[in-house]
Amino acid sequence: MTFDLSATVDRLIASINALTPETRRRWGTLEPGEMLCHIVDVNDVFLNGGGGPEPGAKVRRRPIMKWLAFHSPHSWSRGWKTDTEVDPKKEGTKPQEFETDRERAIASVRAIASAPADAFAPNHYLFGPLTADEWRRVALRHTEYHLCQFGV
């Protein structure tokens, strides 16, 4: 399965633009504005070298899990617990004006796509060592997962 970064970004932005404050979720607890803020928060963590293991933590390599997350044609499973710092119902960014939150989400998707390699941590807390392209892929798949949550 190939990964076309430009086409993926265009598709995700079109989906973000199709979202409205009234769009109903198919599963989960996030409202549309909360989901947009969550996407921005997660992308910001990834771009600021976050998402990696705590300093001194052992880096684990989970090749099967990594393949499933990055390359499997199947959707990610539901029910993952959101980290407190990126959960808009807890410590994450709270929604403000929907159009502003939408613009921030689009900007964060574009920022992930165009970030230099040194913007990302060398290791992911769950998948171990990642390249910049793998960080992009997991960030964009995460965005896609949440947009699917709303059927857009």
Side-chain angles (χ1 to χ4, degrees):
M1 174 188 279
T2 61
F3 178 66
D4 183 334
L5 180 62
S6 179
T8 300
V9 168
D10 289 347
R11 184 173 39 78
L12 293 176
I13 290 172
S15 293
I16 292 169
N17 281 323
L19 191 71
T20 71
E22 294 78 31
T23 304
R24 296 183 63 127
R25 65 181 175 264
R26 295 175 170 180
W27 75 85
T29 63
L30 295 178
E31 296 298 329
E34 291 173 327
M35 183 269 294
L36 292 173
C37 291
H38 172 68
I39 288 169
V40 172
D41 285 350
V42 169
N43 287 346
D44 284 350
V45 167
F46 287 174
L47 282 176
N48 291 312
E54 295 295 322
K58 181 179 178 187
V59 175
R60 301 186 72 183
R61 296 173 194 266
R62 295 184 169 126
I64 293 172
M65 197 170 198
K66 183 176 173 180
W67 183 89
L68 288 170
F70 287 68
H71 305 291
S72 171
H74 302 291
S75 299
W76 288 357
S77 62
R78 301 173 187 172
W80 286 85
K81 195 90 165 142
T82 301
D83 291 339
T84 302
E85 66 272 7
V86 294
D87 184 342
K89 295 183 184 298
K90 296 181 182 166
E91 296 174 18
T93 302
K94 309 290 184 260
Q96 301 298 314
E97 200 277 317
F98 189 82
E99 289 306 318
T100 302
D101 293 336
R102 182 198 316 268
E103 289 170 16
R104 290 180 56 242
I106 290 170
S108 83
V109 167
R110 287 186 172 135
I112 286 286
S114 64
D118 64 358
F120 303 100
N123 296 298
H124 184 275
Y125 77 98
L126 187 61
F127 304 122
L130 296 183
T131 66
D133 286 340
E134 288 172 327
W135 275 108
R136 287 184 190 93
R137 190 171 182 110
V138 75
L140 298 177
R141 264 205 97 174
H142 173 260
T143 299
E144 180 179 54
Y145 168 83
H146 282 292
L147 291 166
C148 287
Q149 188 175 3
F150 290 90
V152 294

